[in-house]
Amino acid sequence: MLKRLLAPALIALLPLSAMAAPTLEQTNFAKLQGGNTTIAAYKGKVTVLNFWATWCGPCREEMPMLNRLRAKLAPKGVEVVGVALDNKEEVSAFVNQLKISYPILLGDSDTLGLMRSLGNATGGLPYTLILDRKGKIAAKLTGLLDEKKLEATIKAQL
């Protein structure tokens, strides 16, 4: 009985960082074109989830490759999804400039913590996850992507 009474009080005393961060499946992202979505919307597809920012040189460098790869592998059930850690206006201008055709989601103040909970301890960009068709993490890739290695990693999930 005493445990039941004390548990809420003890939880309230914990620092926010000690509380569980939302999981990838629980996180709600704003879509660049409006509305919201979750990663669950991509279940059934092998998903390349790429965290990036407009100010990140390697991120900018790999985006055209991700665009080509998506066009090539989409018929096989592959989707590329970008999660931008930047403001909507800059992201929109950049996406239009590079003619990025894959979905772009907007990260918020909690996205860095989410990335860290997903294995990116330093919070470095770009950071890419390969999700299998069930939405489970199959691979974690930090830094500039190598196209051949990325394609081989994706194809292992098909």
Side-chain angles (χ1 to χ4, degrees), residues 69 130 141 145-156:
L69 195 65
I130 309 299
L141 309 166
L145 296 168
D146 175 275
E147 187 170 358
K148 290 181 193 223
K149 287 181 184 176
L150 176 62
E151 192 168 348
T153 304
I154 293 167
K155 286 183 175 180

Side-chain angles (χ1 to χ4, degrees), residues 75-97:
K76 295 180 180 181
V78 175
E79 182 61 278
V80 174
V81 178
V83 178
L85 302 172
D86 223 325
N87 72 56
K88 184 176 181 174
E89 293 75 26
E90 288 184 35
V91 170
S92 185
F94 183 74
V95 166
N96 289 335
Q97 176 189 3

Side-chain angles (χ1 to χ4, degrees), residues 51-110:
F51 293 87
W52 66 281
T54 60
W55 46 262
C56 166
C59 302
R60 296 170 68 104
E61 187 177 333
E62 71 188 11
M63 289 181 78
M65 177 272 293
L66 289 170
N67 214 31
R68 289 189 310 273
L69 195 65
R70 179 196 189 225
K72 179 180 178 181
L73 297 177
K76 295 180 180 181
V78 175
E79 182 61 278
V80 174
V81 178
V83 178
L85 302 172
D86 223 325
N87 72 56
K88 184 176 181 174
E89 293 75 26
E90 288 184 35
V91 170
S92 185
F94 183 74
V95 166
N96 289 335
Q97 176 189 3
L98 284 185
K99 297 178 176 60
I100 301 301
S101 61
Y102 55 84
I104 300 293
L105 309 178
L106 299 169
D108 61 18
S109 59
D110 295 328

Side-chain angles (χ1 to χ4, degrees), residues 21-22 24 51 111-129 137 139-143:
L24 181 59
F51 293 87
T111 304
L112 188 58
L114 174 66
M115 282 185 2
R116 287 192 169 119
S117 75
L118 295 170
N120 185 356
T122 65
L125 293 175
Y127 183 62
T128 305
L129 300 174
I137 298 172
K140 300 173 184 182
L141 309 166
T142 304

